C-alpha cells in the first residue's frame, strides 16, 4: 500500500513534466514560426520596393527627383546596410548630397560613407533624414524627432513617390 502511494505522485509529476516540455516546445516552435513569417513579410516588402526602384531606374528616373522636388539638397541616411548603400548609389552624380549616415553599428563593414554617427550622438544639421529600415520607421522616427529639427522620411515613401 505504501508503495502505491509513492508511485502515483511520481507518475503524476512525470506527466506534468512531460506536458510542460511539450507545451514549451510547441510555444518555442510557434515563436520561431512567427519570426519566420515576419522575416518573409520583410523580404517580400524589400522585393516590391526594389522591383519598383528598378522600374523607375529603367525609366531614367532617380530618387534624386523626389528630394529635388521637395527642396532637399542635403540629407542624412539612417541605416547603412544594403538599402542605404543603394540610396547613396542612386544619388551619386545628382544635386543631392549625403551629409552623413546614422547607424547603430558605426563600424558597419558594408557602409559606403565615411562619416557615420550613432543614433544617440549629437547629429549635425541637415535638411532631411531618410530611414532605410522602413519596417522600423515608427520607432526610429520617434527617436530621431527628439534629436533633430528636420523632416524624417521613410525610404519606402521616397521610392514609391517617384
Amino acid at each position: 500500500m505504501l508503495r502505491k502511494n509513492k508511485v502515483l505522485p511520481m507518475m503524476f509529476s512525470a506527466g506534468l513534466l512531460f506536458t510542460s516540455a511539450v507545451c514549451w516546445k510547441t510555444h518555442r516552435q510557434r515563436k520561431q514560426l512567427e519570426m519566420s513569417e515576419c522575416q518573409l513579410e520583410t523580404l517580400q516588402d524589400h522585393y516590391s520596393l526594389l522591383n519598383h526602384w528598378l522600374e523607375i531606374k529603367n525609366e531614367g528616373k532617380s530618387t534624386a527627383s523626389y528630394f529635388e522636388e521637395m527642396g532637399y539638397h542635403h540629407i542624412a541616411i539612417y541605416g547603412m546596410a544594403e538599402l542605404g548603400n543603394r540610396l547613396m548609389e542612386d544619388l551619386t552624380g545628382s544635386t543631392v548630397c549625403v551629409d552623413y549616415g546614422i547607424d547603430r553599428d558605426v563600424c558597419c563593414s558594408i557602409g559606403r560613407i565615411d562619416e557615420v554617427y550613432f543614433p544617440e550622438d549629437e547629429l549635425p544639421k541637415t535638411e532631411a533624414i531618410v530611414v532605410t529600415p522602413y519596417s522600423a520607421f515608427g520607432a526610429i522616427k520617434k527617436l530621431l524627432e527628439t534629436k533633430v529639427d528636420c523632416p524624417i522620411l521613410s525610404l519606402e515613401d521616397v521610392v514609391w513617390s517617384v
Side-chain angles (χ1 to χ4, degrees):
M1 185 85 156
L2 182 62
R3 206 169 203 198
K4 281 186 179 178
N5 288 341
K6 286 184 178 180
V7 171
L8 223 50
M10 285 176 39
M11 287 176 54
F12 180 73
S13 296
L16 281 177
L17 185 61
F18 176 76
T19 303
S20 296
V22 168
C23 288
W24 179 80
K25 184 178 180 183
T26 303
H27 175 75
R28 193 178 90 223
Q29 288 172 333
R30 190 172 31 252
K31 284 290 187 191
Q32 287 175 335
L33 181 60
E34 288 171 9
M35 286 176 48
S36 295
E37 288 172 349
C38 184
Q39 290 170 333
L40 178 60
E41 188 175 316
T42 299
L43 288 173
Q44 288 171 330
D45 289 346
H46 277 26
Y47 171 81
S48 295
L49 178 86
L50 290 169
N51 186 56
H52 180 69
W53 204 342
L54 183 57
E55 286 175 343
I56 63 176
K57 289 289 286 181
N58 288 339
E59 293 171 2
K61 299 176 186 175
S62 165
T63 54
S65 63
Y66 172 86
F67 298 113
E68 291 163 352
E69 287 175 21
M70 300 299 288
Y72 305 136
H73 298 284
H74 290 270
I75 67 165
I77 299 174
Y78 184 106
M80 300 312 305
E82 291 86 357
L83 293 176
N85 286 324
R86 296 304 76 77
L87 180 58
M88 286 190 58
E89 292 163 359
D90 197 36
L91 296 174
T92 299
S94 74
T95 62
V96 180
C97 175
V98 178
D99 294 332
Y100 59 91
I102 307 166
D103 203 291
R104 291 180 304 182
D105 178 12
V106 175
C107 300
C108 50
S109 59
I110 63 172
R112 295 191 177 137
I113 190 168
D114 294 330
E115 198 171 346
V116 180
Y117 295 89
F118 285 112
E120 299 79 19
D121 289 343
E122 186 173 327
L123 302 173
K125 289 200 180 293
T126 191
E127 295 174 348
I129 297 175
V130 181
V131 176
T132 62
Y134 53 88
S135 60
F137 177 70
I140 294 169
K141 181 179 181 183
K142 190 174 182 177
L143 168 72
L144 292 176
E145 284 176 332
T146 65
K147 307 193 64 50
V148 297
D149 190 26
C150 67
I152 301 163
L153 313 167
S154 167
L155 176 64
E156 183 178 36
D157 292 339
V158 170
V159 171
W160 287 102
S161 296
V162 177

